């Protein structure tokens, strides 16, 4: 027999009751995978892995076995089974190539041997006290024979929890080299997949000969089955599999052994890159190693199957590693035959960091020259910029996928470009007082002086939606502060962003630092970018509250500067001026409703109800076509009220707002603290004492008296521009300009001082005297 096929003892009831395939799962399957892709060419990009219909999951020995190599890692195995079952129930066709029979059998045989020895010893000695017993070295094939049935029973029990049936197939090299056996094997596997059964395949280690070096893996038609890596690759090609996921005990493929200090994980591996890899030793268990995995992966890739090698043992990711790979997330090493024309995002980050260090070392005047050059290019090349922007606008409008507010953010004009240029020139002036500025100087002891100076943060990642004017603003701030910058814009502004980035690099080139600012144009998912914690020092999202929240959730170990919502309030006090109130509310809501600093909730003192102030405010909002939503208290005062608000924490981003009634200024403050987002809040009153109490008590990044919320902006504050508005309570807060992109370092200058000099027996004493720092002093 070419294989031993052991179907599970109990097929799901939906299979027993009908001669056709299960309808409940397959109906969903047909909706999602009605047209399987033509096999013969692997996926070019990770994002395409979502289309994978037929998938093989290879579980290495290190994944399946415990650390002591005796027995199985049950918790790890259970999470893998859950993921495979979930994908199977989505309508995909899942197969597992598994190790573990030897380890399972070793555990079983050790137990039997120890038990047998203890019985014999007890019979011979007649005593209860037993001498130390040793377990002989167990032969692997015997262990496999003893462990196969138990391993399969375990898989069957686990998959049964998800109403998923399994079947076991044991194979050897002969089953692939004998044409009749190979056809029988293929026929069996296809039939199992048609019946919605998960085949679990393993080499028949009870009879397979020991592996010997040979010249396999030389071509599509020649591969010997000497380990489960080669088995999985051969099976993938034979069965025209879309995706092979090989799980091991390392994160993926490294350019050198992972234990070395400078080893780098390879995100995407191309067939021509073999010479750049230095392999280490094989894993603690199993007969393969990374070199065997790579050879098998390249063989499968050549046969039309996409391959990902990833870590299946990490406790934090094992529970979703398989589903993450299928969803196209950046996990492990992806093998691709299509090499992109440009650098990877990791290479871009490295280029930006290296060039950013040179940028930071430039004189402030030189960084100012770069920014002024960019400002001039914005006006000189305005026709080219506006032409690209027009193409983006036409595509966005025709798609019908974008709201009017988003399209408004996308639009550029000559006036906007002129305003941008003015803001950039302001940044250029402020850049002279940025990097290297001395904040504090202390005489620690005689001839021992300490300085605190400003330095760049490092590599910034700015992710922005729609607004292409963000690109030159943020670039100028990064240049002024000496920071490297990665930019990830939305695809809706791709043409405009490309032109603006080219102009930015042209300006940077006047001092040889054009690589300091990179535009990420690859198919990188935002979540994947947020995982580059070793390359990125700060993430700044610019866009919708949903984008900001997603980035805050996805960022692992990288601080995020920004705000998730802009729920801004205007409170009209009982002693407010009618004219000021109307002008401020109109400007706050109607000047640019899509902005994060637009008013979303209007709080009105109870005494103003049914007064001219209230009536004129309502008339103005109606004239401006603002849709009003009534808060609970406001609705209770009205016979026919507008639609009651669904949530008092809503950021409308359009010509809509909520109106609510409060009894006192303190009630307004309490409302803002409960429902606001700590962005910008305003009081309109002629009572100075009330205004000062409001300003002191409201805990928001920006608090205004008798002026529009729309002033919460870096340009209007005189910062030249902003990278965003932060509602955090550490580092930068409010509109974040140049100062918010700097951190500090401490520089201590001595003459051979040691801490021992200041001990009780030492000859020196601490002075800690402050040294005056002249304004504009630089190190």
């Amino acid at each position: 027999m070419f294989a031993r096929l052991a179907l599970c003892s109990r097929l799901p009831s939906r299979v027993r009751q009908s001669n056709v395939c299960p309808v409940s799962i397959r109906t969903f399957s047909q909706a999602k995978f009605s047209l399987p892709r033509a096999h013969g060419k692997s996926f070019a990009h990770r994002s395409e892995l979502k289309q994978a219909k037929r998938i093989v999951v290879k579980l290495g020995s290190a994944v399946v076995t415990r650390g002591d190599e005796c027995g199985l890692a049950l918790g790890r195995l259970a999470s893998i089974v859950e993921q495979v079952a979930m994908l199977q129930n989505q309508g995909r066709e899942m197969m597992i190539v598994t190790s573990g029979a030897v380890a399972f059998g070793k555990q079983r045989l050790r137990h039997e041997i120890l038990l047998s020895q203890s019985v014999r010893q007890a019979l011979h000695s007649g005593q209860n006290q037993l001498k130390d017993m040793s377990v002989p070295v167990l032969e692997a094939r015997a262990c496999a024979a003893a462990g196969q049935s138990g391993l399969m029973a375990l898989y069957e029990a686990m998959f049964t929890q998800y109403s998923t049936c399994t079947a076991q197939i044991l194979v050897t090299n002969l089953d692939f080299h004998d044409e009749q056996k190979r056809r029988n094997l293929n026929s069996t596997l296809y039939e199992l997949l048609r019946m919605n059964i998960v085949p679990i395949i393993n080499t028949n280690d009870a009879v397979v000969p020991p592996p010997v070096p040979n010249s396999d893996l030389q071509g599509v038609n020649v591969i010997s089955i000497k380990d489960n890596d080669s088995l999985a690759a051969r099976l993938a090609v034979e069965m025209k599999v879309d995706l092979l996921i090989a799980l091991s005990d390392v994160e993926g493929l490294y350019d050198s052994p992972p234990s070395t200090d400078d080893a780098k994980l390879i995100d995407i591996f191309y067939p021509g890159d073999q010479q750049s890899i230095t392999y280490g030793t094989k894993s603690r268990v199993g007969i393969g190693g990374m070199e065997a995995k790579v050879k098998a992966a390249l063989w499968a890739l050549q046969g039309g199957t996409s391959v990902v090698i990833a870590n299946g043992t990490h406790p934090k990711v094992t529970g979703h590693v398989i589903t993450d790979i299928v969803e196209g997330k950046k996990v492990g090493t992806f093998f691709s035959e299509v090499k992109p024309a440009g650098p990877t995002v990791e290479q871009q980050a490295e280029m930006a960091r290296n060039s950013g260090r040179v940028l930071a070392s430039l004189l402030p005047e030189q960084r100012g020259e770069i920014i002024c050059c960019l400002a001039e290019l914005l006006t000189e090349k305005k026709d080219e910029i506006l032409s690209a922007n027009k193409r983006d606008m036409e595509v966005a409008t025709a798609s019908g996928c974008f709201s009017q507010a988003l399209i408004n953010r996308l639009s550029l004009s000559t006036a906007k470009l002129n305003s941008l240029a003015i803001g950039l020139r302001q940044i250029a002036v402020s850049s002279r007082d940025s990097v290297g500025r001395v904040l504090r100087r202390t005489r620690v002891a005689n001839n021992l002086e300490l300085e605190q100076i400003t330095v760049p943060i490092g590599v910034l990642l700015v992710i922005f939606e729609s607004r292409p004017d963000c690109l030159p603003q943020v670039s100028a701030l990064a240049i002024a502060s000496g920071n490297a910058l990665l930019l990830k814009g939305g695809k809706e502004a791709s043409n405009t962003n490309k032109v603006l980035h080219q102009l930015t690099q042209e300006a940077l080139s006047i001092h040889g630092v054009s690589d300091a600012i990179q535009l990420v144009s690859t198919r990188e998912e935002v979540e994947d970018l947020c995982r580059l914690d070793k390359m990125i020092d700060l993430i700044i999202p610019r866009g919708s509250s949903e984008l900001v929240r997603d980035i805050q959730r996805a960022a692992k170990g990288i601080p995020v500067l920004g705000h998730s919502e802009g729920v801004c309030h205007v409170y009209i006090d009982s002693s407010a001026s009618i004219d000021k109130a109307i002008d401020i509310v109109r400007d706050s809501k109607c000047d640019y409703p899509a902005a994060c600093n637009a008013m979303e909730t209007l709080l009105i003192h109870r005494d103003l109800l049914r007064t001219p102030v209230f009536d004129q405010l309502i008339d103005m909002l109606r004239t401006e076509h603002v849709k009003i939503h009534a808060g609970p208290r406001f609705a209770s005062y009205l016979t026919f009220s507008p639609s009651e608000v669904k949530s008092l924490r809503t950021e409308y981003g359009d010509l809509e707002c909520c109106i609510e009634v409060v009894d006192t200024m303190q009630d307004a403050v309490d409302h803002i603290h409960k429902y606001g987002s700590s962005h910008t809040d305003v009081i309109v009153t002629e009572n100075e004492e009330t205004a000062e109490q409001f300003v002191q008590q409201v805990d928001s990044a920006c608090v205004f008296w008798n002026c529009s919320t729309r002033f919460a902006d870096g340009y209007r504050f005189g910062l030249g521009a902003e990278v965003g508005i932060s509602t955090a309570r550490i580092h930068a807060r409010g509109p974040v300009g140049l100062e918010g992109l700097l951190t500090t370092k401490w520089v201590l200058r001595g003459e051979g001082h040691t801490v021992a000099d200041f001990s009780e027996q030492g000859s020196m004493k601490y002075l800690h005297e402050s040294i005056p720092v002249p304004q504009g002093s630089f190190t």
Side-chain angles (χ1 to χ4, degrees), residues 184-371:
N184 290 343
L185 174 60
N186 286 6
S187 175
T188 300
L189 288 170
Y190 277 116
E191 182 63 15
L192 291 174
L193 294 177
R194 187 191 69 79
M195 295 170 65
N196 202 32
I197 294 171
V198 176
I200 298 178
I201 306 108
N202 194 1
T203 53
N204 193 351
D205 294 328
V207 299
V208 73
V212 294
N214 53 37
S215 58
D216 64 345
L217 299 164
Q218 297 299 313
V220 175
N221 296 320
V222 181
I223 180 172
S224 67
I225 308 303
K226 62 178 185 178
D227 55 35
N228 278 337
D229 294 312
S230 52
L231 170 60
R234 180 65 185 261
L235 184 72
V237 175
E238 288 282 345
M239 295 298 296
K240 296 180 172 58
V241 166
D242 298 318
L243 173 61
L244 167 58
I245 299 174
L247 297 183
S248 182
D249 57 351
V250 291
E251 302 301 321
L253 177 60
Y254 287 79
D255 58 359
S256 58
S259 57
T260 58
D261 291 336
D262 56 351
K264 292 182 180 179
L265 179 65
I266 299 173
D267 172 37
I268 305 177
F269 186 76
Y270 307 99
D273 292 346
Q274 297 99 307
Q275 302 304 320
S276 63
I277 305 298
T278 302
Y279 297 102
T281 58
K282 72 179 186 68
S283 65
R284 59 177 172 83
V285 289
I287 59 176
M290 185 54 72
E291 186 172 8
K293 289 176 175 57
V294 172
K295 287 181 178 179
L298 291 174
W299 193 89
L301 186 68
Q302 186 180 354
T305 296
S306 295
V307 183
V308 175
I309 296 178
N311 192 340
T313 64
H314 197 296
K316 291 185 178 180
V317 300
T318 300
H320 48 82
V321 61
I322 298 173
T323 52
D324 280 354
I325 290 171
V326 175
E327 289 173 9
K329 295 181 180 179
K330 186 176 286 189
V331 178
T333 299
F334 172 60
F335 286 70
S336 175
E337 293 183 299
V338 180
K339 196 163 188 174
T344 65
V345 68
E346 290 86 359
Q347 291 170 333
Q348 284 186 291
E350 190 69 27
M351 291 161 59
R353 184 180 292 279
N354 293 336
S355 191
R357 286 170 177 154
V358 179
L359 174 66
S361 69
L362 295 177
L363 295 173
E365 292 78 10
Q366 291 175 308
R367 291 194 295 271
E369 288 171 7
I370 294 173
I371 300 168

Side-chain angles (χ1 to χ4, degrees), residues 438-455:
V438 179
L439 301 177
R440 177 184 308 181
R441 186 172 287 155
T442 303
R443 182 176 290 107
V444 178
N446 290 330
N447 300 318
L448 185 63
E449 292 190 1
L450 177 69
E451 283 184 343
Q452 184 186 21
I453 61 173
T454 57
V455 293

Side-chain angles (χ1 to χ4, degrees), residues 694-707:
F694 182 90
V695 168
Q696 294 298 321
Q697 291 183 35
V698 172
D699 184 20
S700 296
C702 300
V703 185
F704 300 161
W705 173 25
N706 283 350
C707 48

Side-chain angles (χ1 to χ4, degrees), residues 459-463 485-488 529-530 536 538-540:
V459 179
L460 313 177
L461 169 62
V462 176
I463 302 169
L485 178 62
L486 291 180
L487 292 159
K488 175 66 173 176
L529 291 172
C530 292
I536 295 169
L538 179 66
I539 301 176
I540 304 172

Side-chain angles (χ1 to χ4, degrees), residues 540-616:
I540 304 172
R542 295 286 304 269
S544 66
S545 57
E546 182 181 4
L547 170 73
V548 178
R549 282 195 298 268
D550 287 345
I551 291 173
Q552 288 173 334
R553 282 194 295 265
K556 305 296 183 183
I558 309 176
V560 178
L561 188 151
H563 65 281
S564 59
E565 292 174 314
V567 183
C568 302
H569 296 75
V570 174
Y571 165 57
I572 310 298
D573 188 51
S574 57
S575 57
S577 160
I578 295 179
D579 294 338
K580 289 179 183 177
I582 291 174
D583 289 344
I584 289 170
V585 171
R586 178 191 287 113
D587 190 73
S588 296
K589 179 73 259 184
C590 307
D591 177 64
Y592 191 6
C596 64
N597 58 9
M599 181 195 79
E600 304 295 1
T601 297
L602 175 61
L603 299 176
I604 299 178
H605 194 284
R606 182 187 59 185
D607 294 346
L608 297 179
L609 291 177
R610 301 183 180 90
T611 67
V613 175
F614 176 78
D615 294 339
Q616 291 180 43

